[in-house]
Each structure stands twice: as C-alpha cells, then as structure tokens.
Amino acid sequence: MKKEVSDLLRIAEKFATNGEAESVEPHGNGHINDTYLLTSHQPSGEPCRYILQRMNHEVFRDPAGLMENITGVTAFLQKKIAESGGDPARESLSVVPLREGGSYWKEEDGTFWRMYRFVEGADSFDLVERPEDFYESAVAFGHFQKLLEEYPAESLHETIPNFHNTVDRLKNFKKAVEADSMKRAGEVADEIKFVLDREEDCYVLCDMLASGEIPLRVTHNDTKLNNIMLDHKTRKGICVIDLDTVMPGSALYDYGDSIRFGANTGAEDEKDLSKISCDLELFALYTKGFIEGCGGSLTKKEIRLLPMGAKLMTLECGMRFLTDYLEGDHYFKIHRPEHNLDRCRTQFAMVKDMEDKWDQMQEIVEQYL
Ligand code: ADP
Ligand code: GN1
Ligand code: MG
C-alpha cells in the first residue's frame, strides 16, 4: 500500500498547511503507522515542516474515534500548558486540520491520513545516548500523566481494546500457538515455554486493577523513548508524541514500557543476546524522574509495584512479538524475515535479567516509599 510521492503531495494539499507542499519523505522508526516528513514553503520563502501520517486502520479499527481522542487530548494539554506559562505549540502535538474542515482525510482506497505540526528543535531517540536524556524522558512522561489527571476518561474511545490486558494477550498468544498457522511453533518451543512458565505473573496487574488496589488513570500506554521529543538546547523532554493509545490504563504501564525499551543495554531487535540486560543505573534514573514527573500522584502500592510493571510490560511485549511471528507478521512492521522473533528474544532476555536483579530493583524503588 506504499504511496507515490505525487500521491503523498496530493494528500498533503488537503490539509491547511502554510504555503505549498514541496517535498515529502519517509520519517522515523515507528512500528505501526506510515510516517512522512513534509516540507512546504511559505510565500516568504521560509520552510515549514509537518508530519504526514497514514494511520494504520488495521491496528486502529476506528480512525474517527482515534482522532476524536487526539483532538480532545491535545486541546486539553494545550490549555494546561498555556495556563502554566509554557509554549503549547511546541510542548504538545498540534493537529493540522483539513482545509475543508475535519481532522483526518479518507482516501478513495480506504486509507486514513492526518497531519501534525513538526516539533522543531528537538529529536526522538531509538537508544539512550546519554543517561540524562533518559531521566528527562521519565520526568516528561510522568508529567504527561499528571497533566491528564483531570481529563474526562469516560470520553476516550478505547482505540485498541485490551491493549495492556496481559491476561487477554496471554489468551491470544495461546490461540496462536494452538493454531500454529505458519508452522513455526516447533522452532520456538523454548520461547513458548518461557511464557508458559510465567503464566501467573500475567494476572498480577489485571487483578489489582480489577480489585481497585491500584487506580485506573489516563495513561499514554506506548512510552518508548522514540515517542518523546527532547529539546536540542535544554535536552528536556519537550513534547510527548504518538498519542494513539492514550486510554485509561495504569501508571505501571507507562513506567514499565519505558524501562522495557530504554533501560535495555541493547536494541529492541538486537540479535546478539549477550548485549541485552537491564541497566540498573538507567533503571534508577528513570524511576527517580518518573516519580518526580508524576508530582506525588503515585500511590505507595504503585511505587512498590514499579519493578513488576517493568517486568510485565517486557514480558507482554515479547509475547506480542512472538504471537505476531506465529501468526505470520501482520501487526508489527518487519524489515527482515525473523525480525519479530529477534525482538521477542530480546524482551525475554531482558525479563530474565530483571528476575536475576529483582532484589536490587526492589531496593531502588523502596527508597521512594
Ligand atoms: P508510530 O505509531 O508508527 O510509532 P509515531 O507517531 O511515533 O508513529 O511517529 C514515528 C516517528 O516520527 C516518531 O518516533 C518521531 O521520530 C517522528 N514524529 C512523529 N510525530 C512528530 C512530530 N509532530 N514532530 C516531529 N517528529 C515527529
Ligand atoms: C509499537 O507505534 P510504536 O512503534 O511507537 C506498539 C507498542 C509496542 C512497540 C514495540 C499501537 O509502538 O505497543 O510496545 O511497538 N504500538 C502499538 O516497539 O501497538
Ligand atoms: Mg511511535
């Protein structure tokens, strides 16, 4: 479903950009949407940049509901940021509307498109280059959640039902093993066993949310490092992006997913598993930043459960990569044949390392109780 540049420019023209769209090229390393950088020139000659995205409507079944969430959340954030003296145009995503009105464009071929203003003077990272960056991302993700504390959760569409319901993910994983549609289960027997040996863990957060022991909050749910823009000058987390999964969830999801990705000493798709481990210094830095960013809103129970959040988000993500591999790689974008299997293996190696370091992880979080 790849589009020609001429088509992309034609689609871009539907949106209320400044000036005429001039060039468009693929951008970023997201696994879900097709992302392009669009440059236009204003009459003054000044370039102006935008993000043009094809929303993955196989993953997000209700693009209209998704965009309603995003326009609602960004408007809410912009108001809050302005009230506290910040710059709403840089510190929040801004949706560029269609010239004819509306927040997204539906092509005749059934694809869905949207546009954001490009957050200038900032970068997103696929690996932690400097520990301070990881700390700043934690402050920003924590603060993001704090800002959304009063957002009317009931108005949010559930863009992917049961997104971080680990029990439901386990059920789907077992179905994929059972069906074995690609005849791949035999070669990944060790990975399947890894999950089944940890079946009980999958219930921990779901049960606590159901019993009210930990609160349901409005959370981001996809807090990997490349979903935050760090300011070039200040290196602060200036803007949280990729708001497709903002939904009711647990603070432990946001915390855990960041640790899963950013505290790993290797890349998410590293083939050499000896490079994979949970860096405890990064773990401690992120913990400090996230608790600070949340501004006192985390309960003691949540703080105590932070290591469990990290472990479960990592196990869940590995299970999702493995499920996709067993089902024939339909969900996550892959760039080589066993990409999802490689990704699954790094996640499980990270889980194993966290289990070995469990007491130290617990000690790190306990100083905040
Ligand atoms: P996906 O859901 O596929 O991960 P994202 O919305 O995260 O898509 O976009 C992919 C990448 O594009 C991001 O990691 C980031 O580098 C870049 N990006 C997205 N939105 C913006 C924006 N408004 N300004 C600058 N860069 C952006
Ligand atoms: C996807 O969209 P992106 O690339 O930021 C996925 C996350 C996974 C992540 C693994 C909507 O995130 O849940 O944790 O890949 N997003 C969706 O890298 O499924
Ligand atoms: Mg992303």
Side-chain angles (χ1 to χ4, degrees):
M1 237 197 273
K2 284 276 171 275
K3 290 268 182 209
E4 300 294 331
V5 167
S6 56
D7 282 324
L8 294 168
L9 289 173
R10 177 182 50 76
I11 295 168
E13 281 301 327
K14 307 285 178 199
F15 293 86
T17 55
N18 287 328
E20 206 173 312
E22 208 159 69
S23 64
V24 64
E25 57 195 58
H27 187 77
N29 291 315
H31 293 341
I32 302 296
N33 298 305
D34 293 345
T35 304
Y36 301 91
L37 171 62
L38 175 87
T39 307
S40 73
H41 273 89
Q42 305 179 64
S44 63
E46 274 284 290
C48 213
R49 303 202 292 173
Y50 301 91
I51 287 286
L52 175 67
Q53 261 182 345
R54 182 185 72 80
M55 291 177 258
N56 184 333
H57 66 275
E58 269 146 32
V59 164
F60 301 106
R61 297 301 177 114
D62 173 17
L66 167 69
M67 286 312 291
E68 211 175 291
N69 281 3
I70 292 189
T71 48
V73 167
T74 51
F76 182 90
L77 289 173
Q78 283 164 8
K79 187 162 171 282
K80 285 252 168 190
I81 292 164
E83 280 166 8
S84 62
D87 176 359
R90 270 198 92 218
E91 293 170 32
S92 158
L93 272 184
S94 320
V95 175
V96 178
L98 292 176
R99 292 188 197 278
E100 64 184 34
S103 60
Y104 65 94
W105 171 252
K106 185 174 181 193
E107 273 277 273
E108 276 179 4
D109 64 2
T111 55
F112 293 84
W113 297 78
R114 67 175 166 212
M115 192 179 278
Y116 294 120
R117 287 162 63 129
F118 192 88
V119 179
E120 296 289 354
D123 277 318
S124 71
F125 293 90
D126 291 309
L127 267 184
V128 174
E129 289 178 8
R130 306 190 320 180
E132 311 87 89
D133 289 348
F134 195 46
Y135 166 78
E136 293 297 348
S137 79
V139 174
F141 277 129
H143 184 59
F144 178 86
Q145 189 191 285
K146 175 84 182 155
L147 281 179
L148 291 179
E149 221 172 11
E150 288 152 27
Y151 193 80
E154 64 291 347
S155 71
L156 285 169
H157 300 268
E158 206 181 356
T159 55
I160 301 181
N162 290 319
F163 190 59
H164 282 310
N165 181 335
T166 316
V167 175
D168 195 63
R169 295 286 185 187
L170 175 70
K171 201 174 84 200
N172 292 335
F173 162 73
K174 285 183 175 174
K175 269 195 219 152
V177 175
E178 183 86 3
D180 196 16
S181 58
M182 304 298 291
K183 299 279 166 277
R184 289 174 171 175
E187 69 173 281
V188 295
D190 289 350
E191 286 75 15
I192 293 172
K193 182 170 184 308
F194 189 91
V195 175
L196 298 179
D197 284 348
R198 288 159 183 79
E199 210 170 324
E200 275 175 27
D201 287 339
C202 295
Y203 288 81
V204 174
L205 294 187
C206 289
D207 285 355
M208 288 194 181
L209 278 169
S211 67
E213 274 178 87
I214 52 173
L216 200 62
R217 304 173 181 277
V218 174
T219 48
H220 183 281
N221 296 307
D222 188 2
T223 50
K224 59 183 185 183
L225 189 64
N226 64 16
N227 285 333
I228 196 153
M229 306 295 297
L230 296 174
D231 186 275
H232 285 165
K233 284 200 197 106
T234 63
R235 298 295 279 213
K236 301 252 184 248
I238 189 85
C239 182
V240 173
I241 60 171
D242 202 347
L243 305 181
D244 295 336
T245 51
V246 171
M247 285 182 283
S250 161
L252 299 163
Y253 300 160
D254 282 3
Y255 168 86
D257 198 50
S258 289
I259 298 290
R260 170 191 82 72
F261 189 85
N264 197 327
T265 48
E268 192 184 64
D269 60 356
E270 175 59 59
K271 277 172 165 297
D272 178 357
L273 294 181
S274 71
K275 292 189 181 154
I276 303 297
S277 66
C278 180
D279 182 323
L280 287 183
E281 253 173 63
L282 291 178
F283 176 87
L285 270 177
Y286 194 93
T287 303
K288 179 173 185 292
F290 191 76
I291 292 173
E292 284 169 13
C294 287
S297 58
L298 294 184
T299 65
K300 281 198 171 147
K301 186 113 208 175
E302 284 175 308
I303 294 178
R304 204 167 279 124
L305 282 164
L306 290 173
M308 188 50 101
K311 175 176 158 178
L312 280 188
M313 286 300 96
T314 313
L315 178 64
E316 181 191 276
C317 195
M319 193 158 72
R320 291 174 62 197
F321 288 139
L322 187 54
T323 304
D324 201 28
Y325 181 69
L326 289 167
E327 292 180 338
D329 308 303
H330 301 300
Y331 187 93
F332 297 102
K333 283 185 187 175
I334 55 163
H335 307 289
R336 55 178 188 254
E338 294 192 342
H339 211 163
N340 273 321
L341 181 56
D342 293 339
R343 289 169 176 154
C344 151
R345 287 180 171 148
T346 61
Q347 301 309 292
F348 291 170
M350 178 80 169
V351 169
K352 180 71 185 60
D353 195 52
M354 287 180 188
E355 288 172 349
D356 293 343
K357 292 172 175 163
W358 200 247
D359 291 346
Q360 288 150 281
M361 285 165 63
Q362 213 62 59
E363 260 168 45
I364 291 168
V365 305
E366 262 158 31
Q367 53 185 296
Y368 297 99
L369 289 173

